[in-house]
Amino acid sequence: MHSVLRFLSIGAIAGLACSVSAATVSVNSVVPEVPTVSYQTITAALNYVKTTQEPRIVEIVAGGPYQENLLINFSVTVRGALIRPTVVTPPIAGAPDGTLNGNGIGIYTNAGSGGDIKVRLENMDIIPAVGNAPTRGVRSSNNTGSLSTDDMKIELVNVLLSSNNGSNAAVTTDGLSLTANAGKTSFADDGMFFTGFVDVDTTGVIISNIFNGDAVTNDGLVFFPSDALRTLNIGPGSVFSFMNRAGVQVASDGSIVNIVGTETEPVVFTGNLQGTPVKNAALCIYFDNNSLPDSKVKMENVVFYKNNNTAIATNFIDPADSVVPLTATKVAWVDNADSAVVAIGDIKTPWSFNSVTMVNNVRAPSTSFFEIVNLLEATPGASTGPITFVDSVIAGNGDIGDGTGKNALQFNMPNAAISFTNSAIVTAGPHSLAASPFSLTGGTPTPVQTNVINTDPEFVNADTYPAADFVDVAAATYDNAGTGGSDLSGYGDYVGTGSSVGNWSVY
Protein backbone atom coordinates (compact mmCIF):
# COMPACT_ATOMS: atom_id res chain seq x y z
CA MET A 1 0.00 0.00 0.00
CA HIS A 2 2.75 2.42 0.92
CA SER A 3 4.63 1.55 -2.27
CA VAL A 4 1.56 2.26 -4.39
CA LEU A 5 0.99 5.61 -2.72
CA ARG A 6 4.64 6.46 -3.22
CA PHE A 7 4.37 5.57 -6.93
CA LEU A 8 1.28 7.77 -7.33
CA SER A 9 3.03 10.66 -5.65
CA ILE A 10 5.96 10.44 -8.03
CA GLY A 11 3.57 10.35 -10.99
CA ALA A 12 1.77 13.43 -9.76
CA ILE A 13 5.06 15.26 -9.38
CA ALA A 14 6.16 14.20 -12.87
CA GLY A 15 2.88 15.44 -14.30
CA LEU A 16 3.32 18.78 -12.58
CA ALA A 17 6.87 19.11 -13.89
CA CYS A 18 5.65 18.38 -17.40
CA SER A 19 2.99 21.08 -17.19
CA VAL A 20 5.52 23.79 -16.36
CA SER A 21 8.46 22.66 -18.49
CA ALA A 22 9.84 24.85 -21.28
CA ALA A 23 7.61 25.18 -24.32
CA THR A 24 7.82 25.90 -28.02
CA VAL A 25 4.39 26.28 -29.57
CA SER A 26 3.25 27.22 -33.05
CA VAL A 27 0.65 29.68 -34.32
CA ASN A 28 -1.35 28.99 -37.46
CA SER A 29 -4.64 30.81 -37.95
CA VAL A 30 -5.95 28.40 -40.58
CA VAL A 31 -5.78 25.04 -38.79
CA PRO A 32 -7.60 23.80 -35.68
CA GLU A 33 -5.94 24.40 -32.34
CA VAL A 34 -4.14 21.62 -30.53
CA PRO A 35 -3.75 22.86 -26.92
CA THR A 36 -0.14 23.04 -25.69
CA VAL A 37 1.05 22.51 -29.28
CA SER A 38 -0.59 24.89 -31.76
CA TYR A 39 -2.86 27.95 -31.51
CA GLN A 40 -4.79 30.11 -33.93
CA THR A 41 -3.78 33.44 -32.36
CA ILE A 42 -0.55 34.82 -30.96
CA THR A 43 -2.41 35.88 -27.82
CA ALA A 44 -3.63 32.34 -27.12
CA ALA A 45 -0.11 30.99 -27.58
CA LEU A 46 1.28 33.62 -25.21
CA ASN A 47 -1.35 32.80 -22.61
CA TYR A 48 -0.26 29.16 -22.68
CA VAL A 49 3.53 29.58 -22.68
CA LYS A 50 3.23 32.03 -19.80
CA THR A 51 2.32 29.03 -17.64
CA THR A 52 5.50 27.17 -18.61
CA GLN A 53 9.14 27.55 -17.72
CA GLU A 54 11.79 29.32 -19.77
CA PRO A 55 12.76 29.21 -22.53
CA ARG A 56 9.36 30.05 -23.97
CA ILE A 57 9.06 30.29 -27.76
CA VAL A 58 6.07 31.18 -29.90
CA GLU A 59 6.59 30.44 -33.61
CA ILE A 60 4.18 31.81 -36.20
CA VAL A 61 4.34 29.24 -38.99
CA ALA A 62 1.43 30.08 -41.32
CA GLY A 63 -1.77 32.05 -41.71
CA GLY A 64 -2.47 35.65 -40.90
CA PRO A 65 -2.44 38.54 -41.08
CA TYR A 66 -2.86 38.42 -37.30
CA GLN A 67 -5.18 41.20 -36.22
CA GLU A 68 -4.50 41.48 -32.51
CA ASN A 69 -2.61 43.54 -29.99
CA LEU A 70 -0.18 41.93 -27.57
CA LEU A 71 0.50 42.49 -23.86
CA ILE A 72 3.67 40.77 -22.63
CA ASN A 73 5.00 40.75 -19.06
CA PHE A 74 7.22 37.65 -19.05
CA SER A 75 10.30 36.33 -20.84
CA VAL A 76 9.44 34.98 -24.27
CA THR A 77 10.51 34.87 -27.92
CA VAL A 78 7.84 35.53 -30.55
CA ARG A 79 9.06 34.92 -34.08
CA GLY A 80 8.03 34.22 -37.58
CA ALA A 81 9.16 30.76 -38.65
CA LEU A 82 8.56 29.38 -42.16
CA ILE A 83 6.75 32.66 -42.94
CA ARG A 84 7.21 36.33 -42.15
CA PRO A 85 3.87 37.15 -40.54
CA THR A 86 2.08 40.49 -40.48
CA VAL A 87 0.73 41.60 -37.12
CA VAL A 88 -2.03 44.20 -37.58
CA THR A 89 -2.41 46.01 -34.29
CA PRO A 90 -5.45 47.85 -32.94
CA PRO A 91 -4.96 49.84 -29.70
CA ILE A 92 -4.59 48.00 -26.40
CA ALA A 93 -7.37 48.57 -23.87
CA GLY A 94 -7.64 47.42 -20.27
CA ALA A 95 -3.90 47.12 -19.64
CA PRO A 96 -2.59 46.93 -16.05
CA ASP A 97 -1.36 50.52 -16.43
CA GLY A 98 -2.73 53.33 -18.55
CA THR A 99 0.68 54.01 -20.15
CA LEU A 100 0.25 50.80 -22.13
CA ASN A 101 -3.27 51.46 -23.36
CA GLY A 102 -3.64 52.75 -26.89
CA ASN A 103 -0.50 51.04 -28.20
CA GLY A 104 -0.10 47.99 -30.42
CA ILE A 105 2.35 45.81 -28.48
CA GLY A 106 2.92 46.54 -24.79
CA ILE A 107 5.87 45.14 -22.83
CA TYR A 108 5.95 45.63 -19.06
CA THR A 109 6.66 44.06 -15.69
CA ASN A 110 4.43 43.79 -12.65
CA ALA A 111 4.03 41.44 -9.70
CA GLY A 112 3.04 38.65 -12.08
CA SER A 113 6.35 38.85 -13.97
CA GLY A 114 8.34 37.28 -11.17
CA GLY A 115 11.35 39.55 -11.71
CA ASP A 116 13.43 40.62 -14.70
CA ILE A 117 12.23 39.71 -18.19
CA LYS A 118 13.71 39.30 -21.67
CA VAL A 119 11.39 39.70 -24.67
CA ARG A 120 12.47 39.03 -28.25
CA LEU A 121 10.39 39.84 -31.34
CA GLU A 122 11.80 38.40 -34.53
CA ASN A 123 11.04 38.19 -38.27
CA MET A 124 7.70 39.98 -38.55
CA ASP A 125 5.93 43.07 -39.86
CA ILE A 126 3.99 45.21 -37.39
CA ILE A 127 1.47 47.66 -38.85
CA PRO A 128 -1.56 49.59 -37.53
CA ALA A 129 -5.12 48.46 -38.01
CA VAL A 130 -7.00 50.30 -40.76
CA GLY A 131 -9.23 52.96 -39.22
CA ASN A 132 -8.15 52.01 -35.70
CA ALA A 133 -4.47 52.87 -35.42
CA PRO A 134 -2.64 52.56 -32.10
CA THR A 135 -0.54 55.43 -30.82
CA ARG A 136 2.70 53.48 -31.17
CA GLY A 137 3.61 50.09 -32.60
CA VAL A 138 5.72 48.88 -29.68
CA ARG A 139 5.70 50.45 -26.20
CA SER A 140 7.50 49.47 -22.99
CA SER A 141 6.73 50.75 -19.51
CA ASN A 142 7.32 49.69 -15.92
CA ASN A 143 7.92 52.86 -13.96
CA THR A 144 4.37 53.93 -13.13
CA GLY A 145 1.32 52.85 -11.14
CA SER A 146 1.15 49.19 -10.21
CA LEU A 147 4.02 48.17 -12.47
CA SER A 148 7.26 46.78 -11.00
CA THR A 149 10.77 48.19 -11.42
CA ASP A 150 12.34 45.00 -12.73
CA ASP A 151 14.80 45.07 -15.63
CA MET A 152 13.43 44.59 -19.13
CA LYS A 153 15.69 43.47 -21.98
CA ILE A 154 13.96 43.89 -25.36
CA GLU A 155 15.44 42.45 -28.54
CA LEU A 156 14.04 43.17 -32.00
CA VAL A 157 15.47 41.24 -34.93
CA ASN A 158 14.36 41.65 -38.55
CA VAL A 159 11.23 43.53 -37.53
CA LEU A 160 9.51 46.06 -39.80
CA LEU A 161 7.20 48.79 -38.52
CA SER A 162 5.45 50.87 -41.13
CA SER A 163 2.08 52.10 -42.29
CA ASN A 164 -0.78 49.92 -43.49
CA ASN A 165 -1.38 50.18 -47.24
CA GLY A 166 -5.12 49.72 -46.69
CA SER A 167 -4.98 45.99 -47.38
CA ASN A 168 -3.17 44.87 -44.24
CA ALA A 169 0.29 44.94 -45.74
CA ALA A 170 3.21 47.27 -45.03
CA VAL A 171 3.75 50.11 -47.49
CA THR A 172 7.48 49.33 -47.74
CA THR A 173 9.74 46.33 -47.37
CA ASP A 174 13.19 47.93 -47.26
CA GLY A 175 12.51 51.46 -45.99
CA LEU A 176 14.61 53.07 -48.72
CA SER A 177 11.90 54.93 -50.64
CA LEU A 178 9.11 57.35 -49.79
CA THR A 179 5.58 56.05 -50.32
CA ALA A 180 2.43 58.03 -51.03
CA ASN A 181 0.52 59.05 -47.91
CA ALA A 182 -2.96 58.90 -49.43
CA GLY A 183 -5.08 55.90 -48.50
CA LYS A 184 -2.77 54.47 -45.86
CA THR A 185 -3.01 54.23 -42.08
CA SER A 186 -0.02 55.28 -39.95
CA PHE A 187 0.63 54.84 -36.28
CA ALA A 188 -0.70 57.95 -34.58
CA ASP A 189 2.72 58.74 -33.13
CA ASP A 190 6.01 56.81 -32.95
CA GLY A 191 7.04 53.44 -34.27
CA MET A 192 8.63 52.35 -30.97
CA PHE A 193 8.70 54.13 -27.60
CA PHE A 194 10.74 52.67 -24.74
CA THR A 195 10.37 53.87 -21.16
CA GLY A 196 10.95 52.15 -17.85
CA PHE A 197 13.95 50.16 -16.67
CA VAL A 198 14.84 48.91 -20.09
CA ASP A 199 17.72 48.03 -22.42
CA VAL A 200 17.04 47.60 -26.13
CA ASP A 201 18.86 45.78 -28.97
CA THR A 202 17.82 46.04 -32.61
CA THR A 203 19.22 44.18 -35.62
CA GLY A 204 17.71 44.54 -39.06
CA VAL A 205 14.88 46.68 -37.71
CA ILE A 206 13.19 48.94 -40.27
CA ILE A 207 10.93 51.78 -39.10
CA SER A 208 9.74 53.69 -42.12
CA ASN A 209 7.04 55.81 -43.72
CA ILE A 210 5.11 56.74 -40.60
CA PHE A 211 3.64 60.21 -40.88
CA ASN A 212 0.25 61.75 -40.24
CA GLY A 213 0.01 65.29 -41.56
CA ASP A 214 2.42 68.18 -41.29
CA ALA A 215 1.98 68.89 -37.59
CA VAL A 216 2.23 65.35 -36.16
CA THR A 217 5.47 64.46 -34.37
CA ASN A 218 5.99 60.88 -35.55
CA ASP A 219 9.44 59.57 -34.57
CA GLY A 220 10.85 56.19 -35.49
CA LEU A 221 12.34 55.02 -32.19
CA VAL A 222 12.27 56.92 -28.89
CA PHE A 223 14.55 55.67 -26.10
CA PHE A 224 13.57 57.29 -22.80
CA PRO A 225 14.60 54.91 -20.00
CA SER A 226 13.89 55.71 -16.37
CA ASP A 227 17.44 55.55 -15.05
CA ALA A 228 20.99 56.16 -16.26
CA LEU A 229 23.41 53.73 -17.93
CA ARG A 230 20.70 52.00 -19.94
CA THR A 231 21.86 50.79 -23.34
CA LEU A 232 20.37 51.19 -26.79
CA ASN A 233 22.16 49.01 -29.34
CA ILE A 234 21.15 49.62 -32.95
CA GLY A 235 22.70 46.93 -35.10
CA PRO A 236 23.38 46.02 -38.74
CA GLY A 237 20.67 46.51 -41.34
CA SER A 238 18.55 48.86 -39.24
CA VAL A 239 16.81 51.65 -41.20
CA PHE A 240 15.02 54.73 -39.84
CA SER A 241 13.41 56.56 -42.70
CA PHE A 242 10.71 58.92 -43.92
CA MET A 243 9.41 59.72 -40.48
CA ASN A 244 7.43 62.89 -39.96
CA ARG A 245 10.06 64.03 -37.50
CA ALA A 246 13.10 62.15 -36.12
CA GLY A 247 14.44 58.73 -36.97
CA VAL A 248 15.79 58.06 -33.46
CA GLN A 249 15.50 60.19 -30.33
CA VAL A 250 17.36 59.48 -27.08
CA ALA A 251 16.26 61.64 -24.17
CA SER A 252 17.54 60.23 -20.87
CA ASP A 253 20.73 61.57 -19.30
CA GLY A 254 23.51 59.04 -18.86
CA SER A 255 22.37 56.73 -21.66
CA ILE A 256 24.70 54.46 -23.64
CA VAL A 257 24.01 54.42 -27.37
CA ASN A 258 25.77 52.15 -29.88
CA ILE A 259 24.74 52.52 -33.52
CA VAL A 260 26.93 49.97 -35.24
CA GLY A 261 26.35 48.50 -38.67
CA THR A 262 28.70 46.59 -40.94
CA GLU A 263 30.29 47.48 -44.26
CA THR A 264 27.65 45.47 -46.11
CA GLU A 265 24.76 46.26 -43.76
CA PRO A 266 25.14 49.80 -42.45
CA VAL A 267 22.60 51.53 -40.26
CA VAL A 268 20.71 54.04 -42.44
CA PHE A 269 18.89 57.27 -41.63
CA THR A 270 17.17 58.73 -44.68
CA GLY A 271 14.25 60.98 -45.64
CA ASN A 272 13.36 62.00 -42.09
CA LEU A 273 11.46 65.23 -41.31
CA GLN A 274 8.66 64.75 -43.81
CA GLY A 275 6.34 67.47 -42.62
CA THR A 276 6.40 68.55 -39.00
CA PRO A 277 7.37 72.17 -38.34
CA VAL A 278 9.45 70.99 -35.36
CA LYS A 279 12.85 70.65 -37.03
CA ASN A 280 14.24 67.71 -35.09
CA ALA A 281 17.28 65.96 -36.48
CA ALA A 282 17.35 62.46 -37.95
CA LEU A 283 19.26 61.40 -34.81
CA CYS A 284 18.42 63.44 -31.70
CA ILE A 285 21.03 63.20 -28.95
CA TYR A 286 18.92 64.97 -26.36
CA PHE A 287 20.83 63.87 -23.28
CA ASP A 288 24.04 64.69 -21.43
CA ASN A 289 26.52 62.36 -19.80
CA ASN A 290 25.20 63.00 -16.28
CA SER A 291 28.88 63.03 -15.23
CA LEU A 292 29.01 59.26 -15.88
CA PRO A 293 32.13 58.12 -17.80
CA ASP A 294 30.33 55.18 -19.45
CA SER A 295 27.62 57.33 -21.05
CA LYS A 296 28.43 57.72 -24.75
CA VAL A 297 27.35 57.64 -28.37
CA LYS A 298 29.26 55.31 -30.68
CA MET A 299 28.57 55.15 -34.42
CA GLU A 300 30.22 52.84 -36.93
CA ASN A 301 29.16 52.06 -40.51
CA VAL A 302 26.26 54.50 -40.52
CA VAL A 303 24.75 56.48 -43.43
CA PHE A 304 22.83 59.76 -43.07
CA TYR A 305 21.42 60.37 -46.53
CA LYS A 306 18.92 62.93 -47.83
CA ASN A 307 17.31 63.77 -44.53
CA ASN A 308 15.24 66.93 -44.75
CA ASN A 309 16.93 68.53 -41.77
CA THR A 310 20.12 68.18 -39.75
CA ALA A 311 21.45 64.63 -39.55
CA ILE A 312 22.65 64.68 -35.91
CA ALA A 313 21.85 67.24 -33.22
CA THR A 314 22.40 67.61 -29.50
CA ASN A 315 20.29 69.81 -27.25
CA PHE A 316 18.88 70.13 -23.71
CA ILE A 317 22.30 69.70 -22.08
CA ASP A 318 22.67 70.59 -18.40
CA PRO A 319 25.51 73.17 -18.13
CA ALA A 320 26.80 71.30 -15.09
CA ASP A 321 27.39 68.21 -17.24
CA SER A 322 28.66 67.65 -20.76
CA VAL A 323 27.48 66.51 -24.13
CA VAL A 324 28.23 62.78 -24.20
CA PRO A 325 31.45 61.56 -25.79
CA LEU A 326 30.90 60.73 -29.46
CA THR A 327 32.89 58.44 -31.72
CA ALA A 328 32.02 58.28 -35.42
CA THR A 329 33.89 55.73 -37.54
CA LYS A 330 33.02 55.00 -41.16
CA VAL A 331 30.03 57.34 -41.18
CA ALA A 332 28.68 59.15 -44.26
CA TRP A 333 26.73 62.42 -44.17
CA VAL A 334 25.49 62.98 -47.71
CA ASP A 335 22.92 65.32 -49.27
CA ASN A 336 21.15 66.26 -46.04
CA ALA A 337 19.07 69.42 -46.42
CA ASP A 338 20.69 71.04 -43.41
CA SER A 339 23.78 70.34 -41.32
CA ALA A 340 25.67 67.11 -40.86
CA VAL A 341 26.24 67.75 -37.14
CA VAL A 342 24.92 70.37 -34.73
CA ALA A 343 26.05 70.26 -31.10
CA ILE A 344 24.49 72.83 -28.80
CA GLY A 345 26.02 72.36 -25.38
CA ASP A 346 29.38 72.12 -23.70
CA ILE A 347 31.63 69.35 -25.04
CA LYS A 348 33.97 68.45 -22.19
CA THR A 349 34.72 64.95 -23.47
CA PRO A 350 36.34 63.69 -26.69
CA TRP A 351 34.51 63.80 -30.00
CA SER A 352 36.29 61.83 -32.72
CA PHE A 353 35.55 61.44 -36.42
CA ASN A 354 37.50 58.62 -38.08
CA SER A 355 37.24 57.73 -41.78
CA VAL A 356 34.06 59.74 -42.30
CA THR A 357 32.73 61.57 -45.36
CA MET A 358 30.65 64.74 -45.46
CA VAL A 359 29.50 66.04 -48.83
CA ASN A 360 26.69 68.09 -50.34
CA ASN A 361 25.02 68.90 -47.03
CA VAL A 362 23.18 72.17 -46.30
CA ARG A 363 21.62 71.73 -49.71
CA ALA A 364 18.87 74.20 -48.73
CA PRO A 365 21.07 77.10 -47.57
CA SER A 366 18.32 79.68 -47.82
CA THR A 367 16.37 77.93 -45.04
CA SER A 368 19.20 76.37 -43.02
CA PHE A 369 19.99 77.75 -39.59
CA PHE A 370 23.49 76.26 -39.43
CA GLU A 371 26.64 75.39 -41.32
CA ILE A 372 27.80 71.88 -42.24
CA VAL A 373 29.36 71.23 -38.83
CA ASN A 374 28.38 73.37 -35.85
CA LEU A 375 29.93 72.80 -32.46
CA LEU A 376 28.50 75.61 -30.34
CA GLU A 377 29.21 75.64 -26.63
CA ALA A 378 26.57 76.97 -24.26
CA THR A 379 28.94 78.27 -21.57
CA PRO A 380 31.77 80.49 -22.89
CA GLY A 381 35.08 78.66 -22.56
CA ALA A 382 33.58 75.52 -21.00
CA SER A 383 34.20 73.11 -23.89
CA THR A 384 37.54 71.35 -23.76
CA GLY A 385 37.03 68.50 -26.24
CA PRO A 386 39.26 67.44 -27.90
CA ILE A 387 37.61 67.36 -31.33
CA THR A 388 39.54 65.24 -33.84
CA PHE A 389 39.07 64.39 -37.52
CA VAL A 390 41.32 61.62 -38.86
CA ASP A 391 41.39 59.97 -42.31
CA SER A 392 38.25 61.89 -43.22
CA VAL A 393 36.96 63.66 -46.32
CA ILE A 394 35.12 66.86 -45.46
CA ALA A 395 33.53 68.38 -48.55
CA GLY A 396 30.81 70.94 -49.19
CA ASN A 397 28.02 71.74 -51.61
CA GLY A 398 30.15 73.69 -54.09
CA ASP A 399 28.94 77.16 -53.13
CA ILE A 400 32.37 78.72 -52.77
CA GLY A 401 30.95 82.24 -52.75
CA ASP A 402 28.43 81.59 -49.99
CA GLY A 403 28.83 84.68 -47.85
CA THR A 404 26.57 83.29 -45.13
CA GLY A 405 29.12 80.72 -44.03
CA LYS A 406 26.58 77.91 -44.46
CA ASN A 407 29.00 75.95 -46.60
CA ALA A 408 31.64 75.98 -43.88
CA LEU A 409 32.58 74.33 -40.59
CA GLN A 410 31.60 76.41 -37.56
CA PHE A 411 33.31 76.12 -34.19
CA ASN A 412 32.55 78.22 -31.13
CA MET A 413 34.70 76.67 -28.41
CA PRO A 414 37.95 78.57 -27.87
CA ASN A 415 39.37 76.18 -25.27
CA ALA A 416 38.77 72.91 -27.13
CA ALA A 417 41.64 71.38 -29.09
CA ILE A 418 40.31 70.94 -32.65
CA SER A 419 42.45 69.07 -35.18
CA PHE A 420 42.38 67.52 -38.65
CA THR A 421 44.95 64.81 -39.41
CA ASN A 422 45.60 62.93 -42.67
CA SER A 423 42.30 64.30 -43.96
CA ALA A 424 40.82 66.40 -46.75
CA ILE A 425 39.20 69.79 -46.27
CA VAL A 426 37.94 70.25 -49.80
CA THR A 427 38.24 73.75 -51.29
CA ALA A 428 38.23 72.86 -55.01
CA GLY A 429 35.90 71.18 -57.45
CA PRO A 430 32.12 70.69 -57.54
CA HIS A 431 31.93 69.73 -53.87
CA SER A 432 34.03 72.52 -52.46
CA LEU A 433 33.52 74.12 -49.11
CA ALA A 434 33.32 77.91 -48.93
CA ALA A 435 36.46 79.85 -49.84
CA SER A 436 36.98 80.28 -46.10
CA PRO A 437 36.13 76.76 -44.90
CA PHE A 438 36.10 77.63 -41.20
CA SER A 439 33.62 79.88 -39.44
CA LEU A 440 35.28 80.55 -36.09
CA THR A 441 33.49 82.49 -33.39
CA GLY A 442 34.00 83.28 -29.71
CA GLY A 443 37.76 83.56 -30.13
CA THR A 444 38.17 79.98 -31.40
CA PRO A 445 41.63 79.56 -32.97
CA THR A 446 42.14 77.98 -36.37
CA PRO A 447 42.08 74.18 -36.04
CA VAL A 448 45.42 72.39 -36.14
CA GLN A 449 45.97 70.71 -39.52
CA THR A 450 48.48 67.90 -40.11
CA ASN A 451 48.87 66.32 -43.56
CA VAL A 452 45.64 67.92 -44.81
CA ILE A 453 44.90 68.21 -48.53
CA ASN A 454 42.38 70.52 -50.20
CA THR A 455 41.99 69.02 -53.68
CA ASP A 456 38.81 67.71 -55.31
CA PRO A 457 38.24 64.08 -54.22
CA GLU A 458 36.57 63.32 -57.56
CA PHE A 459 33.71 61.43 -56.00
CA VAL A 460 32.49 58.66 -58.29
CA ASN A 461 28.99 58.88 -56.82
CA ALA A 462 28.04 61.50 -54.24
CA ASP A 463 24.35 61.39 -55.05
CA THR A 464 22.84 57.90 -55.01
CA TYR A 465 22.46 55.43 -52.16
CA PRO A 466 22.51 52.46 -52.11
CA ALA A 467 25.17 51.90 -54.74
CA ALA A 468 28.45 50.01 -54.69
CA ASP A 469 30.39 53.18 -55.57
CA PHE A 470 28.72 55.46 -53.01
CA VAL A 471 31.16 58.29 -52.11
CA ASP A 472 34.13 56.40 -53.56
CA VAL A 473 37.15 58.63 -54.22
CA ALA A 474 39.17 58.62 -57.45
CA ALA A 475 41.56 61.59 -57.20
CA ALA A 476 45.24 60.67 -57.50
CA THR A 477 46.14 63.09 -54.71
CA TYR A 478 44.20 60.89 -52.27
CA ASP A 479 46.37 57.86 -53.05
CA ASN A 480 48.38 57.02 -49.92
CA ALA A 481 47.30 60.29 -48.23
CA GLY A 482 45.86 58.61 -45.15
CA THR A 483 47.39 57.42 -41.92
CA GLY A 484 50.47 55.24 -42.41
CA GLY A 485 50.32 55.64 -46.19
CA SER A 486 46.81 54.25 -46.52
CA ASP A 487 44.57 55.71 -49.20
CA LEU A 488 42.38 58.58 -48.06
CA SER A 489 38.74 57.82 -48.84
CA GLY A 490 36.62 58.54 -45.75
CA TYR A 491 33.51 56.37 -45.67
CA GLY A 492 33.95 55.13 -49.25
CA ASP A 493 36.74 53.32 -51.06
CA TYR A 494 39.68 54.68 -53.00
CA VAL A 495 39.23 53.62 -56.62
CA GLY A 496 41.88 55.74 -58.33
CA THR A 497 44.68 54.44 -60.51
CA GLY A 498 47.36 54.60 -57.83
CA SER A 499 48.61 51.78 -55.66
CA SER A 500 46.39 50.80 -52.75
CA VAL A 501 49.09 48.86 -50.92
CA GLY A 502 48.85 51.27 -47.99
CA ASN A 503 45.24 50.36 -47.36
CA TRP A 504 46.05 46.89 -46.14
CA SER A 505 49.59 47.43 -44.90
CA VAL A 506 48.42 49.52 -41.93
CA TYR A 507 46.15 46.76 -40.53
Side-chain angles (χ1 to χ4, degrees), residues 311-325:
I312 298 176
T314 71
N315 210 337
F316 311 111
I317 309 302
D318 186 338
D321 293 316
S322 171
V323 177
V324 289

Side-chain angles (χ1 to χ4, degrees), residues 430-449:
H431 300 107
S432 173
L433 293 159
S436 298
F438 296 117
S439 175
L440 305 172
T441 56
T444 303
T446 302
V448 175
Q449 300 179 52

